[in-house]
Amino acid sequence: MERGDESNVKATKKSKLINKKVKTSKKRKILIIVSLILTFIISTVLLYILVFDKKVYFDGFLNEDKVQVGSEYIDKKFSICYGTIINCKEVKYETLGSVDTTKLGEYTLTYIYKIKNEENKIEKKVVVYDDIKPEITVDEELAFCKNGNLGRGKYHATDNYDGDITSEVKLSIETDKSYLEVTDSSGNKDSIEVEALEFSSDPIITLN
């Protein structure tokens, strides 16, 4: 290869190397510019959220609550504030409605608050429930007729909400076991096994 050709090859290689460096430098510049733009956008969004994006915040508020019938209902305190994440001012509210814990059912409490003189409200549902089962008490030894009727003995059943529900007691006689069962108005059930004598025949009732 002649000297002129060698010079041309070297010049070509040098030119390619320079072009490669230029392209790499341009890519880096583009990446830097893109990074700066993304950083600016993210910073702007965060600044807006922290300083300008005002919202209503509820701390400790429950949409639903429940209380056992006959118990005292204490409304759980919560707080309302209006503003941004870094600057939120507390807002006072008024409670409307009440919960009658002597009666089963669903009640609604309404909380009224104002933002910029505009009245707003949120609601909470409170359920008064009963999950206490009734109680059957055997007062005297029981004896049953062959047809399953009570021949002798006494029992009674009481419930925390329904009161005396003795009339609702059912007798269940199996081959070797006997049960007294009762269910209250909320579906709570009590069942006790009883030792019972069995008459050979129905007792004879004599009227005086």
Side-chain angles (χ1 to χ4, degrees):
M1 182 181 295
E2 296 181 0
R3 290 183 179 179
D5 294 335
E6 288 180 2
S7 297
N8 290 334
V9 172
K10 288 180 180 181
T12 301
K13 288 182 178 181
K14 187 175 181 179
S15 177
K16 289 181 178 180
L17 183 60
I18 292 172
N19 290 335
K20 186 176 181 180
K21 288 182 178 180
V22 171
K23 289 180 180 179
T24 302
S25 178
K26 286 182 178 180
K27 287 182 180 180
R28 286 179 180 174
K29 288 181 180 180
I30 292 172
L31 288 174
I32 291 172
I33 293 172
V34 171
S35 298
L36 290 173
I37 293 173
L38 289 175
T39 301
F40 174 77
I41 292 173
I42 293 172
S43 299
T44 302
V45 172
L46 288 175
L47 181 64
Y48 175 77
I49 292 174
L50 294 174
V51 179
F52 301 104
D53 187 24
K54 293 184 177 181
K55 294 181 179 180
V56 179
Y57 297 91
F58 302 96
D59 183 20
F61 177 73
L62 300 174
N63 291 315
E64 294 186 12
D65 203 1
K66 61 181 181 178
V67 60
Q68 178 74 248
V69 66
S71 301
E72 180 184 4
Y73 178 71
I74 300 175
D75 193 10
K76 297 177 176 63
K77 299 298 182 181
F78 66 96
S79 62
I80 303 174
C81 74
Y82 174 72
T84 64
I85 295 176
I86 61 175
N87 184 23
C88 197
K89 295 183 179 180
E90 186 174 356
V91 177
K92 294 182 179 180
Y93 61 87
E94 178 186 2
T95 305
L96 301 179
S98 61
V99 178
D100 184 359
T101 59
T102 65
K103 296 181 180 180
L104 297 172
E106 184 176 299
Y107 300 84
T108 300
L109 296 179
T110 303
Y111 305 92
I112 307 295
Y113 64 96
K114 288 185 178 181
I115 301 294
K116 295 182 178 180
N117 294 323
E118 182 179 346
E119 189 171 274
N120 299 272
K121 70 177 182 179
I122 53 175
E123 294 181 340
K124 175 168 65 177
K125 181 177 71 174
V126 181
V127 177
V128 178
Y129 70 98
D130 172 29
D131 64 357
I132 299 176
K133 68 179 183 179
E135 184 177 357
I136 302 173
T137 302
V138 176
D139 302 308
E140 294 180 6
E141 184 181 51
L142 304 177
F144 301 100
C145 305
K146 282 187 174 181
N147 62 5
N149 292 328
L150 178 64
R152 183 178 67 236
K154 290 182 180 180
Y155 61 83
H156 69 275
T158 56
D159 181 68
N160 65 306
Y161 182 71
D162 299 326
D164 186 348
I165 53 173
T166 303
S167 61
E168 301 298 321
V169 176
K170 306 297 181 183
L171 173 65
S172 174
I173 300 178
E174 298 181 1
T175 304
D176 56 349
K177 294 181 180 180
S178 299
Y179 297 92
L180 291 177
E181 301 174 342
V182 68
T183 303
D184 67 15
S185 60
S186 296
N188 303 306
K189 182 178 180 180
D190 186 29
S191 176
I192 63 171
E193 182 179 348
V194 292
E195 294 183 4
L197 303 174
E198 182 179 327
F199 289 124
S200 58
S201 61
D202 287 353
I204 298 175
I205 300 175
T206 302
L207 299 178
N208 294 325

